[in-house]
Amino acid sequence: MSLLVPDTGLLFWMLLSFGTVFFILKKYGFPVIIKMVEERKAYIDRSIKAAQEANEKLDGIKAESEAILAKAREEQAAMLKEALSEKERIISEAREQALAEAGQLIDNAREEIQSEKKRAIREVRNEIINLSVDIAGKVIRQKIADDASQKAVIDRMLDETPFYKS
């Protein structure tokens, strides 16, 4: 008996035991194994289908979120544009109001200057009238006879007045 060449009896019993095990596996084992493999395949197919549906939903959600973001950006741009126009309007209104107030202040200042000027002219005229009356009174009191003495008296009187300095 050699190790590499089996005996016929050994071959017979090996074939008989292999056939018996194969028959038992074919009758009871393979159907269960095939059923489990098919169930696993169906589970994997369902999982792949669910994953594809989830990807489709995710793509839909992504598209929807991009649309929402685009709409939000448009609204933001519109709000910024509206805010800028409102800012410009407020600035122009403030500028117009400031110009109107400045014009009003200038007009008031001009009116005040004119009234002060008129008042100063009235005061100067009143002072001149008073001085003229005083000078005339003094000239009459001295009874001046000639022109030279009249001029000397008038010059002296003008020098004495506080408003006239030659």
Side-chain angles (χ1 to χ4, degrees), residues 34-54:
I34 290 174
K35 181 180 173 189
M36 289 176 65
V37 168
E38 287 177 1
E39 286 177 1
R40 180 73 177 156
K41 183 182 179 233
Y43 175 74
I44 290 171
D45 290 341
R46 285 192 309 266
S47 296
I48 289 173
K49 187 176 179 182
Q52 287 174 345
E53 289 175 1

Side-chain angles (χ1 to χ4, degrees), residues 136-147:
K138 289 179 182 180
V139 168
I140 291 175
R141 273 187 247 132
Q142 290 185 2
K143 295 181 184 178
I144 302 173
D146 62 349
D147 284 340

Side-chain angles (χ1 to χ4, degrees), residues 34-159:
I34 290 174
K35 181 180 173 189
M36 289 176 65
V37 168
E38 287 177 1
E39 286 177 1
R40 180 73 177 156
K41 183 182 179 233
Y43 175 74
I44 290 171
D45 290 341
R46 285 192 309 266
S47 296
I48 289 173
K49 187 176 179 182
Q52 287 174 345
E53 289 175 1
N55 281 337
E56 290 173 2
K57 286 182 182 179
L58 183 61
D59 290 340
I61 290 172
K62 283 182 182 178
E64 185 178 329
S65 67
E66 288 175 3
I68 290 171
L69 283 174
K71 184 178 178 183
R73 286 185 186 119
E74 289 174 4
E75 289 177 2
Q76 179 187 18
M79 291 172 106
L80 286 173
K81 186 176 180 181
E82 183 179 328
L84 287 175
S85 65
E86 184 68 17
K87 177 186 117 179
E88 292 298 324
R89 185 188 63 80
I90 289 171
I91 288 173
S92 66
E93 285 179 3
R95 186 175 292 135
E96 290 173 5
Q97 185 178 3
L99 288 174
E101 288 177 5
Q104 183 66 32
L105 287 174
I106 289 172
D107 290 343
N108 290 344
R110 283 184 183 151
E111 289 174 7
E112 189 174 331
I113 289 170
Q114 287 295 332
S115 66
E116 287 293 320
K117 181 179 175 182
K118 288 178 183 177
R119 187 184 61 77
I121 290 173
R122 268 195 318 270
E123 287 178 6
V124 168
R125 284 184 182 173
N126 287 337
E127 204 53 45
I128 289 173
I129 290 171
N130 289 338
L131 288 174
S132 297
V133 169
D134 286 345
I135 290 173
K138 289 179 182 180
V139 168
I140 291 175
R141 273 187 247 132
Q142 290 185 2
K143 295 181 184 178
I144 302 173
D146 62 349
D147 284 340
S149 62
Q150 281 182 354
K151 287 182 180 180
V153 170
I154 290 174
D155 283 338
R156 194 184 79 229
M157 295 290 173
L158 284 175
D159 287 338

